[in-house]
Amino acid sequence: MDSALSLKDILTLEKMAKTLRFLCADMVQEANSGHPGVAMGLADVAVVLSQHVRLNPKNPEWLGRDRLIFSGGHASALVYALLHLWGFDVSLEDLKAFRKLHSVTPGHPEFKHTPGVEVTTGPLGQGFANAVGLAMAGKLAQNMLGDAFKHKVYCLCGDGDLQEGISYESASLAGHLGLDDLIVLYDSNAITIEGDTNLAFSENVRLRFEAQGWAVLACDGHDFLDIDKTLNTAKSSDKPTLIIAHTTIGKGALELEGSAKTHGAPLGAEVIGRAKEALKWPSEAFYIPEEVKLHFSLQKGEALESLWAQGLSVEVQEQIAHLQAKDFSQVAYPTFELGQKCATRASNGAILNALSQAYLGFVGGSADLAPSNNTRLKAEGDFLKGQWGRNLHFGIREHAMGAICNGLANYGLFVPFCATFFVFSDYLAPALRLSALMQNQVYYIFTHDSIGVGEDGATHQPIEQLSHLRAIPNFEVYRPMDAHENVLCWQVALKRAKSAAFVLSRQDLEVASTASLEQVQRGGYVLYKSSKEPQISLLSSGSEVLPCLKAAHLLEAEGVGVQVVSVPCFDLLLQQELEYLNTLLVGRVLAVEASRGLEWFKFADEVFGMQSFGKSGRGADLFKHFGFTPENIANKAKALL
């Protein structure tokens, strides 16, 4: 909508807003659960935005579409009501099943679950950072494929999103990069669950975003003319734009209007009934006038996509096909010789570069640690304002980095990776969890994986992080014992095409594995077996496998039958059939890992792991101090016999 609104337009928008407002209130009432206030407060903004956003409900994955993110996922009633009215495959019956088991309208929006939902939102601030990732993806696409991918990324957020630290991180990066296709509509209703925001929030949001390089506009969130004018101004901005929409939570809910009581509970049938009567609206629940359906409908989306597709050259179509295929079958992987010493972070750097040469949609970077993480793509340029190369620089913003990569992945043309020290994976935990929940494809590179970090001390030595990541459903953690196993882990992970972490050593590790792809894709395999029937099995991962191998030789010299099992992916091992597991878990079982390792009790009679945090000192000295030596491992094994 690029021209001034007429009186007829305004009257139409008023009717659309009433429909949307009461549809959301009815959904929450029917479910007896949900958040009506924000949906009712944003209804006026949403109906004007409906006139601007470019979507095709018949093809929710149209690559040329605008992206629309609801960072405040608790406003899901508004999301689903809009999707239904716009013409997406979300029926009125689906709206009536809001928040019910097996419905396509769950309590918070879920990617790949509901047509038209771009990202899984719920934890506040994540959607904001996802939107930054989608805007970055748009710039990558423009750089590779041209202006056909010059579309907008709209994000609706609230006070809660802007109070979360992740919004600071991601907004800072967006402003620095000048992501001018990003428009954030801030629902500024000054209410959170506990009451007025002045209980804990009084900063000048305008000055904050201007300081971060954003254009900042403001509008009355209930004035259609003002909203429309502000959106048109934002669409022509040369910076990312924040629109502060001043709204009233629970707009139209009579005595509850403006109250925190409308935030997270149904309004009640009596209040809804009186509110409808006051606005001369039919009392019928889920009422949608036929003419309103027509005004909401995004039928023009098919024509927009058709026109967009006609403008793509054959060359661009071929490039799109390459990016969408996410095909890593032609990678020329590096090779490593037995006995060669190489840190798995170093071998990983060589692997990343090989992947980037085979697939042009492989993009990523580090939280200011690329030289240590070995993540630079050597043949590629930097992602900077106006350049948009494939080497991303997140700055020291781990939390935003993970969420941004989720946005990049959900764009549809890229496979992103990001990196930091393993101990700082804690900063990414919410994004890691959402990666798994969304079933997208993001690779998290975590180096400096154990007490082997050494002199930096306990603050930098991960202890509990492996157990945490292994506990995440639908998320795979690879901790290779050496460079050869690392190559195989990548081949397995890429074939499985889901989010995964690679946990890698700082210190050099001797190549001792001759494993096959078939062995590694089972998660664990017998690396070494003595001629005598094993009385004990040593299970381990990463840098602790080689000491176990040396311990096995010591045990064998004393006449003890032993086998060593390398477990590069604990998650995959859990999925193996009992018959195969019985070939690994022979005799007494000792698991050895320089981490907390409590999950190993699934398979082991005893776990030799870390019982404390680490210490400052040389990595080799720490392994000796904490007992991760062949001699001590052999003694612990004998104690089980």
Side-chain angles (χ1 to χ4, degrees), residues 143 177 384-388:
N143 190 45
L177 293 171
L384 301 172
K385 184 176 181 179
Q387 296 184 27
W388 321 125

Side-chain angles (χ1 to χ4, degrees), residues 252-300:
L254 300 178
E255 70 270 15
L256 294 181
E257 186 175 286
S259 168
K261 293 179 180 179
T262 68
H263 174 83
L267 300 178
E270 182 184 345
V271 171
I272 294 175
R274 288 192 292 109
K276 289 180 177 179
E277 184 179 359
L279 290 175
K280 297 181 173 55
W281 195 253
S283 60
E284 175 188 342
F286 296 94
Y287 175 70
I288 305 173
E290 285 300 320
E291 67 272 22
V292 167
K293 286 183 181 179
L294 292 174
H295 288 301
F296 264 112
S297 176
L298 299 182
Q299 292 179 351
K300 64 180 181 181

Side-chain angles (χ1 to χ4, degrees), residues 366-507:
S366 170
D368 196 51
L369 290 170
S372 292
N373 298 145
N374 284 255
T375 50
R376 182 163 185 81
L377 305 179
K378 296 176 183 177
E380 303 301 326
D382 294 313
F383 188 90
L384 301 172
K385 184 176 181 179
Q387 296 184 27
W388 321 125
R390 290 163 63 192
N391 280 299
L392 310 183
H393 299 277
F394 296 100
I396 308 162
R397 303 181 180 97
E398 294 90 352
H399 194 179
M401 175 175 72
I404 285 169
C405 281
N406 281 332
L408 284 161
N410 287 14
Y411 188 83
L413 294 178
F414 306 105
V415 174
F417 67 89
C418 60
T420 187
F421 291 165
F422 189 32
V423 74
F424 301 141
S425 63
D426 293 341
Y427 285 135
L428 286 86
L432 290 171
R433 189 173 191 274
L434 288 171
S435 283
L437 192 57
M438 287 192 277
Q439 303 177 58
N440 64 15
Q441 191 175 5
V442 179
Y443 295 111
Y444 296 91
I445 313 301
F446 296 125
T447 68
H448 297 60
D449 69 333
S450 73
I451 56 174
V453 170
E455 292 86 349
D456 278 331
T459 62
H460 280 51
Q461 293 167 16
I463 301 298
E464 72 279 14
Q465 283 74 17
L466 261 175
S467 296
H468 176 195
L469 266 59
R470 286 170 175 162
I472 301 174
N474 197 47
F475 188 87
E476 293 170 358
V477 183
Y478 295 88
R479 190 177 183 235
M481 66 170 283
D482 60 19
H484 172 72
E485 206 176 75
N486 196 16
V487 170
L488 297 175
C489 285
W490 269 103
Q491 292 176 339
V492 172
L494 290 166
K495 184 178 181 181
R496 294 178 64 79
K498 60 171 60 179
S499 289
F502 284 81
V503 180
L504 309 166
S505 74
R506 175 197 185 193
Q507 70 273 29

Side-chain angles (χ1 to χ4, degrees), residues 96-114:
K96 293 177 181 179
F98 179 51
R99 288 187 161 230
K100 291 183 172 61
L101 186 63
H102 304 311
S103 74
V104 300
T105 50
H108 288 78
E110 296 182 22
F111 179 62
K112 294 181 181 175
H113 186 80
T114 309

